[in-house]
Amino acid sequence: MNLLKKPVVLLIIGMTFFSCNKKETAFPDPLITNRDTTINLATDFFNYANNGWFKKNPISSTDSNNGIMRTVIDTINGQIKSICEKSANDQSAVKGSNKQKIGDFYASGMDTIAIEKAGISPLNSEIKKINEIKDVSGLVNSIAHLQTVGADPAFSFYVSQDDKISTKYALFFVQGGLGMGQRDFYLETDKRNTEIRKAYQSHLKTMMRFMGEEESTAAKSAATILKLETELAKASRKLELLRDPVKNYNKLSVAQFNTLSPNIDWKKVIPLLGVKNADSIIVGQPEFFKALDKTLKNYSIEEWKTYLKWNLVNSYASYLNAAIEKQNFKFYSTVMNGVSTQKPRWKRVVENTDQYLGDLVGQVYVSDYMPKGVKEKLLEIGNNIRDVFASHIKKLDWMSEATKQKALFKLSKIVMKLGYPDKWKDMSQLSIDRKSYCGNVMQAKIWDYNYMINKFGKPVDRNEWVMQPQTYNAYYNPSNNEIVIPACNIIVPGYEGRMPDDAILYGVIGGSFFGHEITHGFDDQGSQYDEKGNLNNWWTAEDLKKFKAKTKLIVSQYNKFAILGKNVNGDATQGENIADLGGVVMGYEAFQKTEQYKKNEKINGQTPDQRYFLAYAYSWMVNRRDESKINQITTDVHAPEQFRVNGPLSNIPEFYKAFNVKKGDKMYQPDSLRVVIW
């Protein structure tokens, strides 16, 4: 995952860190049993490698997808459940301790009697403040205040490193405020999006009824909210346009921001956001704030109040009474992703406990579940991949020596944060009790907001992690020029308690973790940042021109992929596609240096090359519901998993040789269309 300010979730496979070179295995081998040999691998290698597993493991009614990721996450959640239950049942837990906070948060989420009794009352004080708004000035002040208590009306705001001065924190104002998240859901006129809008308006009406409005008033409110959000959507940039760090970096003085949106007195609003002494801000999409400024006057105060109350309740719907929670699930899970059944309550509460108390849970998780030596093994693999990447840069035939030296220098400066942080966040000021689940979530959101705000004006903490060791994910942060790969108990389904061979080790963690994340430093976005994490062009003009021609080729390649009649957005996904291609290539070459590869012995009838490419396909073994597939193509900067396998492999001659893929096969790309970047 390329972390550009706000992370986009990319789940990557965890790994058990062993290696072994046995010729035959006494246990079932997933690389054998997962296959569907009725499928022509030269036509669709992803389903050839994985469809045998899909046939035996249908998607649960509680999930939008199933596969290796779901399996690992379920394992992790089971471990976190144990942590939560032990904490909740520990009568000796000292007030203010990690154990007390984890236990009370979990217990409050499981107390459905108290949650039902409370209804919407945990939000009453905030709703009262919204009802007291009398004019535009009060409206703007309320929008600012709601940002500080866990809602996100009208726009998005955060503190992060300045893209051009990575040693300083800056204030970022970007487009936002959409209940459906993505502009296309409001504006596209195809059948699917038209149906979603109709379902959304029905959802809004039902939610307004739960909030106390009469039938006719609720219908009117729903129409108002949809119309107002559509106005914001019209002013929002498309997904692919949000990926240009230069065009989304517009530094203004506060006075200039006032001129851009005169109905908002930013000199007063910014202090209400908790920020003092701000002399400049970074506006991601100036045209959005111009449109927002007009919208403040084009809709009445009463209409805006309706929208604000909806935004607040929508932000907390998952933590309120059953009627609201189920309706929230019905739209966002069933309509949007095809999930028909809610997960058991314990799973929902475990996931939320981990989400809001992640660093507290993580400390117990590392102590109880992470094997010794994880950091050391991760570092070994990471350094092997980095060495391969350096070798590739030196051999590039399209890059000048001057640019190569700068690329190599940036590569050498990439920081690898592995396993778990050396220093945990201090959450001592967060107060948690068993009285109110929604109240606990609000306190956690407020704590998190204040933690972010308190960074402003202070030195950048380059040791900070933005995810926990139990988070099944990884990222590259261009502002720190770093990759972060959590431990996640290092699980490979099918290899519990035994050693996978090096082909699996490098196919999964070498390619899908290290190779992928390091390549993000040199994708279409990451390549615009220097070794210090500053947005700064280090390319010669000629080299940059050649690089863009290569990225244009991968965009064209992915634009041709389609699922259910909807094409992949090659522009929006190009960074991840570049990283996938770089990752599988780097992982393969690192694997070539292992003893298993050098001996060239078969395991269960498979050559080292065949096992490596099957292992890479295994790392993306995910089957999705149709609704989830369409939602993914619409909202995600990652291509569907099928193309995260077939796309990169169709560019690799060694894959052709390993599986006898020939000219004319669907998985074969002619030389003129084959993408070779790094």
Side-chain angles (χ1 to χ4, degrees):
M1 177 178 71
N2 187 353
L3 185 71
L4 282 165
K5 306 311 175 189
K6 290 203 171 181
V8 180
V9 174
L10 164 63
L11 296 177
I12 301 182
I13 306 309
M15 193 71 196
T16 304
F17 297 104
F18 313 101
S19 66
C20 118
N21 299 309
K22 296 179 181 178
K23 295 181 182 179
E24 302 295 333
T25 61
F27 300 92
D29 183 353
L31 300 192
I32 299 293
T33 60
N34 289 350
R35 297 177 306 165
D36 184 346
T37 56
T38 67
I39 294 174
N40 184 349
L41 65 86
T43 299
D44 182 358
F45 189 73
F46 171 82
N47 277 304
Y48 165 80
N50 297 319
N51 198 53
W53 191 93
F54 296 154
K55 287 180 177 179
K56 299 171 190 173
N57 299 275
I59 302 171
S60 166
S61 64
T62 62
D63 293 302
S64 63
N65 63 79
N66 196 20
I68 192 167
M69 298 177 184
R70 183 75 265 156
T71 303
V72 175
I73 291 171
D74 284 347
T75 298
I76 294 169
N77 284 343
Q79 294 164 338
I80 296 174
K81 179 189 179 187
S82 178
I83 293 171
C84 290
E85 289 182 337
K86 288 178 181 178
S87 299
N89 294 328
D90 189 344
Q91 302 299 318
S92 65
V94 178
K95 184 172 177 58
S97 66
N98 292 356
K99 187 174 291 186
Q100 175 266 313
K101 291 175 182 177
I102 294 169
D104 283 2
F105 191 102
Y106 179 75
S108 71
M110 296 300 292
D111 188 353
T112 55
I113 295 175
I115 292 170
E116 285 303 306
K117 184 177 180 181
I120 204 172
S121 65
L123 302 178
N124 281 350
S125 63
E126 295 300 332
I127 292 173
K128 183 175 183 292
K129 292 174 185 176
I130 294 171
N131 285 330
E132 292 171 350
I133 297 172
K134 293 182 172 57
D135 51 29
V136 172
S137 176
L139 168 62
V140 172
N141 291 348
S142 183
I143 290 173
H145 169 72
L146 287 169
Q147 299 275 346
T148 72
V149 296
D152 57 353
F155 59 83
S156 291
F157 162 77
Y158 57 93
V159 174
S160 189
Q161 286 165 270
D162 189 314
D163 292 87
K164 294 187 176 181
I165 314 172
S166 64
T167 56
K168 293 183 66 175
Y169 286 115
L171 309 180
F172 289 80
F173 290 84
V174 299
Q175 66 188 47
L178 304 181
M180 289 191 285
Q182 236 295 329
R183 68 183 298 279
D184 289 357
F185 291 128
Y186 295 87
L187 306 178
E188 294 296 320
T189 57
D190 60 279
K191 182 180 178 181
R192 167 71 176 156
N193 283 302
T194 300
E195 290 175 347
I196 286 176
R197 282 193 294 277
K198 183 177 179 181
Y200 184 54
Q201 188 159 354
S202 175
H203 169 64
L204 290 169
K205 178 182 175 182
T206 302
M207 291 292 276
M208 299 311 291
R209 291 284 286 128
F210 288 146
M211 291 163 63
E213 291 191 353
E214 297 294 331
E215 180 79 16
S216 59
T217 306
K220 182 179 178 181
S221 294
T224 295
I225 294 165
L226 180 58
K227 185 178 179 182
L228 195 157
E229 289 185 355
T230 302
E231 290 298 312
L232 298 179
K234 289 177 180 177
S236 299
R237 290 184 186 176
K238 293 183 177 181
L239 188 62
E240 59 268 28
L241 298 180
L242 294 174
R243 299 192 67 260
D244 188 328
V246 175
K247 291 182 179 179
N248 288 279
Y249 181 97
N250 303 279
K251 183 172 279 190
L252 305 175
S253 68
V254 177
Q256 288 174 318
F257 201 17
N258 276 344
T259 301
L260 181 71
S261 46
N263 285 313
I264 306 174
D265 188 346
W266 293 106
K267 291 180 181 179
K268 293 182 179 179
V269 170
I270 291 175
L272 292 175
L273 291 168
V275 180
K276 297 179 181 178
N277 304 318
D279 57 358
S280 64
I281 49 91
I282 297 171
V283 180
Q285 304 78 34
E287 70 279 11
F288 177 84
F289 287 89
K290 285 183 179 180
L292 172 62
D293 188 73
K294 294 178 181 178
T295 307
L296 290 172
K297 285 293 185 73
N298 290 344
Y299 288 81
S300 69
I301 295 299
E302 289 304 314
E303 288 173 322
W304 269 103
K305 285 157 73 170
T306 296
Y307 164 77
L308 293 185
K309 284 184 281 190
W310 151 246
N311 186 276
L312 173 67
V313 172
N314 192 37
S315 299
Y316 285 95
S318 296
Y319 322 110
L320 296 171
N321 58 294
I324 290 177
E325 187 193 16
K326 287 180 180 178
Q327 177 59 36
N328 182 71
F329 169 84
K330 179 181 177 181
F331 178 73
Y332 288 105
S333 294
T334 303
V335 174
M336 300 294 275
N337 287 294
V339 182
S340 61
T341 307
Q342 277 189 302
K343 295 176 184 177
R345 185 159 193 89
W346 74 262
K347 286 189 176 182
R348 285 149 34 213
V349 179
V350 159
E351 289 175 353
N352 291 330
T353 305
D354 186 41
Q355 177 182 351
Y356 293 110
L357 304 182
D359 268 52
L360 304 187
V361 172
Q363 293 175 55
V364 184
Y365 185 87
V366 167
S367 174
D368 290 358
Y369 295 105
M370 198 179 81
K372 292 181 179 179
V374 166
K375 282 194 175 188
E376 291 78 8
K377 191 61 181 179
L378 284 170
L379 184 61
E380 175 190 324
I381 297 169
N383 283 333
N384 289 344
I385 297 294
R386 177 157 34 193
D387 289 346
V388 167
F389 208 119
S391 177
H392 263 252
I393 292 173
K394 292 173 184 177
K395 295 176 183 177
L396 290 175
D397 60 4
W398 59 269
M399 181 180 281
S400 70
E401 192 61 31
T403 305
K404 282 183 182 180
Q405 291 306 311
K406 291 180 180 179
L408 287 166
F409 186 58
K410 177 177 180 178
L411 177 67
S412 72
K413 294 298 181 180
I414 289 179
V415 175
M416 292 190 287
K417 295 178 179 176
L418 310 172
Y420 58 93
D422 295 322
K423 182 181 179 181
W424 301 94
K425 292 184 177 73
D426 180 3
M427 301 182 73
S428 59
Q429 296 303 307
L430 172 61
S431 179
I432 299 293
D433 57 36
R434 300 197 178 199
K435 295 178 182 177
S436 171
Y437 184 40
C438 183
N440 282 335
V441 172
M442 182 174 286
Q443 287 303 309
K445 286 189 174 189
I446 292 171
W447 180 91
D448 191 59
Y449 181 87
N450 289 335
Y451 177 84
M452 175 187 73
I453 288 296
N454 288 333
K455 295 178 182 179
F456 188 71
K458 295 178 182 177
V460 169
D461 180 5
R462 292 185 182 267
N463 295 316
E464 181 184 12
W465 285 49
V466 300
M467 59 178 58
Q468 290 75 36
Q470 71 277 16
T471 302
Y472 198 50
N473 211 324
Y475 66 86
Y476 171 76
N477 178 359
S479 292
N480 279 348
N481 192 27
E482 67 181 7
I483 64 172
V484 178
I485 300 181
C488 282
N489 203 29
I490 324 302
I491 302 167
V492 177
Y495 291 92
E496 294 84 355
R498 58 193 178 98
M499 297 186 292
D501 54 282
D502 285 335
I504 296 171
L505 183 67
Y506 280 88
V508 177
I509 197 160
S512 296
F513 272 83
F514 283 98
H516 178 98
E517 300 305 340
I518 289 175
T519 305
H520 267 314
F522 302 90
D523 68 16
D524 63 305
Q525 288 180 299
S527 62
Q528 299 182 62
Y529 292 78
D530 62 22
E531 77 283 352
K532 294 181 180 178
N534 294 316
L535 195 54
N536 177 32
N537 181 25
W538 46 271
W539 296 71
T540 66
E542 184 63 23
D543 289 340
L544 187 59
K545 182 179 179 181
K546 292 177 180 177
F547 177 70
K548 288 185 176 180
K550 289 178 175 293
T551 62
K552 186 177 181 181
L553 193 59
I554 205 168
V555 169
S556 176
Q557 192 175 98
Y558 277 77
N559 276 338
K560 296 173 184 176
F561 293 139
I563 286 181
L564 300 171
K566 190 172 181 65
N567 286 77
V568 173
N569 187 332
D571 283 307
T573 61
Q574 66 170 304
E576 298 297 335
N577 300 334
I578 292 168
D580 284 339
L581 177 58
V584 70
V585 169
M586 303 307 160
Y588 175 70
E589 294 203 11
F591 172 54
Q592 287 180 306
K593 299 179 184 299
T594 66
E595 286 301 311
Q596 177 187 345
Y597 190 87
K598 291 175 182 177
K599 288 181 178 180
N600 196 31
E601 295 176 343
K602 291 184 178 181
I603 296 178
N604 292 336
Q606 297 172 333
T607 67
D609 279 358
Q610 289 172 338
R611 288 190 69 77
Y612 174 81
F613 293 120
L614 283 166
Y616 179 74
Y618 185 35
S619 74
W620 296 113
M621 187 186 75
V622 177
N623 188 25
R624 293 182 180 273
R625 297 185 184 280
D626 288 351
E627 295 89 342
S628 179
K629 291 176 182 177
I630 296 299
N631 192 34
Q632 183 184 31
I633 288 179
T634 303
T635 66
D636 204 336
V637 295
H638 305 89
E641 288 80 8
Q642 178 179 357
F643 305 127
R644 300 192 73 170
V645 174
N646 292 349
L649 295 187
S650 69
N651 292 294
I652 299 175
E654 292 84 356
F655 167 73
Y656 300 164
K657 184 178 179 180
F659 290 99
N660 197 30
V661 176
K662 298 177 180 179
K663 185 177 180 180
D665 291 332
K666 191 172 182 180
M667 289 289 298
Y668 183 92
Q669 291 279 1
D671 288 347
S672 61
L673 298 178
R674 203 173 296 164
V675 181
V676 180
I677 301 178
W678 296 105

